[in-house]
Amino acid sequence: MSNHFEGLGKTWLTLLNDPEKEVPAVVMQVMKEGKTRDCWQRKDSKEETMVLAWPVETGFRAGVTVHGNAGEQLRPVSTYPLLEGAPNDMTVNETYLWQNETEGEVSATCNEGANPLWFYSPFLFRDRENLTPGVRHTFLIAGLAYGLRRALLDEMTITEGVEYERYVAEWLAQNPGKTRLDVPQLTVDLRGARIVVPGDVASEYQIRVPVTSVEEMHIQNEKIYMLIVEFGLNTPNPLRFPLYAPERVCKIVPQAGDEIDAIIWLQGRIMDEIRSCLRRAFPASGSGAPPPERRRKEPRRVHARNRRLH
C-alpha cells in the first residue's frame, strides 16, 4: 500500500539544484508572468482559487495555486511542475485531499478489475465534487521522470508471487509424480514488456516500457524530453501519456524504440483541453485549436498579469 506524502520537493529536484532556495523565485516568476484559463478557476461568495502557469509555450510549466477569501488578495498556497497530459478514460476509485484543500491525489483504473493508479492533482479544488467512486471521467494524465536509463535486463527470474504460484500449480498438474522441488525456475522475457510497479509513495512508480516517440522542449535553459509511453495495449482501454524527462535526470538521450527503466511521478486532472503538441502525438484527441482566451478580470487581486493561457 502506498503512503501519501504531502510535499513536492522531489519533483522540483528534476529542474532545480536547491529547491528550498530556488522555488520562491519560481513562484515570483509565475505570479508576475503566469496565465490562467477559465476552467482553472473557482469562485463563490466566500472564496476564490485559481491556477497560474508559466511559460505558455510548452507542455511542461511551473504552476502556482493561489487562494483567498472573496474580495481579498489571493496568495500562493502551492507550486508544482504543471504537466499537460493526454486523455485517458478512467474510473474513480478514491481521492486523498491534502491539508490545504486545493490539491491531493486521485486513484483510478483504466479497466475493470485492474489495479488502480494514484496520481497527483493540483485541481482537486475544482474536480473533487465530481470524483465520485465508480464514476468514469476522461483524465489528462502525464508523468515526470525522476530518473531514466536504458533498460538493463532482457529477462527476469520469478520465485514467488501470484504468477509464480499459478505457474507451479500448472507445471505440477502436467508432471504427475513430481514435487515442488522439481519445478524449473520461471524466467520471463522482458523484451518489449510494459511494466508499472507502484513505489512506496502514492503517485510514484517504477516503469519499464518501449518509447513510442520523443520530442524536445525547453523551459528557460533546461532541455526536456517528452516521451510518449503506452501500457496495457492488450486491454480494452490502454494507458497512454507523455513522460517529461529533464535532460539532467537522463542517463541516455532517449529515442523512439528505446526500452527504458524509469522512476516517475504521475499527475492528472479531469480533462479541460489538449495542448497542440499532444494532438500531434494523439491525433484522435481534441478537435482543432483551443477556444479563444480572454483577459482575466481583476488582475490586481493577485498582482499578476493573468492573461488567458492558450
Side-chain angles (χ1 to χ4, degrees):
M1 179 178 179
S2 296
N3 299 309
H4 296 279
F5 175 71
E6 299 187 24
L8 297 164
K10 192 184 297 186
T11 66
W12 284 115
L13 280 172
T14 64
L15 278 181
L16 305 177
N17 295 319
D18 189 340
E20 187 173 355
K21 293 181 179 179
E22 296 177 66
V23 163
V26 174
V27 173
M28 291 179 63
Q29 179 70 27
V30 176
M31 295 290 287
K32 179 181 178 182
E33 301 290 343
K35 299 181 182 181
T36 190
R37 295 171 176 160
D38 280 343
C39 58
W40 289 3
Q41 306 167 33
R42 283 294 179 271
K43 181 180 179 180
D44 57 29
S45 60
K46 296 182 179 180
E47 57 186 10
E48 182 175 3
T49 308
M50 76 170 75
V51 168
L52 300 172
W54 172 90
V56 301
E57 296 85 4
T58 68
F60 187 114
R61 307 185 183 101
V64 172
T65 299
V66 293
H67 174 80
N69 294 327
E72 298 181 1
Q73 178 176 313
L74 304 184
R75 299 185 181 278
V77 295
S78 185
T79 183
Y80 36 81
L82 181 60
L83 312 176
E84 286 294 342
N88 288 271
D89 292 337
M90 305 177 77
T91 301
V92 177
N93 183 54
E94 60 179 307
T95 59
Y96 182 88
L97 186 65
W98 288 11
Q99 288 186 0
N100 62 24
E101 297 189 352
T102 66
E103 61 194 329
E105 289 154 318
V106 180
S107 170
T109 56
C110 288
N111 296 285
E112 185 176 356
N115 292 326
L117 292 174
W118 283 100
F119 53 86
Y120 165 80
S121 176
F123 286 89
L124 283 193
F125 71 90
R126 179 196 73 178
D127 293 343
R128 65 185 180 188
E129 63 189 30
N130 295 314
L131 294 173
T132 304
V135 174
R136 200 161 181 83
H137 292 284
T138 300
F139 291 95
L140 296 180
I141 301 296
L144 172 63
Y146 290 162
L148 184 149
R149 69 186 182 191
R150 195 178 310 279
L152 296 182
L153 301 176
D154 289 331
E155 62 180 25
M156 176 176 62
T157 299
I158 299 177
T159 59
E160 60 182 359
V162 175
E163 290 298 324
Y164 180 73
E165 293 303 324
R166 183 181 299 117
Y167 162 73
V168 169
E170 292 176 354
W171 190 90
L172 290 175
Q174 296 169 6
N175 295 271
K178 299 292 185 178
T179 69
R180 190 179 182 92
L181 295 176
D182 299 314
V183 178
Q185 67 181 15
L186 174 59
T187 301
V188 178
D189 187 355
L190 295 178
R191 289 171 294 184
R194 301 170 188 270
I195 302 171
V196 181
V197 179
D200 293 332
V201 177
S203 304
E204 295 183 4
Y205 298 87
Q206 297 180 45
I207 65 169
R208 179 195 170 107
V209 66
V211 176
T212 300
S213 65
V214 180
E215 295 185 27
E216 294 182 9
M217 60 186 65
H218 289 80
I219 179 169
Q220 298 287 71
N221 296 321
E222 293 284 340
K223 180 187 290 186
I224 298 171
Y225 301 104
M226 185 183 79
L227 291 62
I228 301 301
V229 294
E230 304 173 284
F231 298 89
L233 296 185
N234 60 341
T235 68
N237 193 34
L239 176 69
R240 299 182 173 95
F241 59 87
L243 173 61
Y244 297 92
E247 184 178 37
R248 65 169 66 193
V249 308
C250 298
K251 294 188 178 296
I252 61 171
V253 176
Q255 299 179 5
D258 286 346
E259 298 200 21
I260 61 167
D261 293 330
I263 299 175
I264 72 170
W265 172 74
L266 287 183
Q267 181 182 125
R269 64 181 186 266
I270 292 179
M271 187 172 76
D272 36 69
E273 59 188 53
I274 313 299
R275 284 280 299 173
S276 59
C277 63
L278 295 181
R279 289 197 186 99
R280 294 198 299 272
F282 297 89
S285 303
S287 56
E293 308 278 9
R294 62 172 176 81
R295 189 176 298 273
R296 165 74 183 161
K297 294 180 180 179
E298 303 175 296
R300 66 186 184 279
R301 302 274 301 284
V302 294
H303 303 294
R305 295 193 295 276
N306 291 340
R307 290 166 300 198
R308 301 274 294 142
L309 177 66
H310 291 275

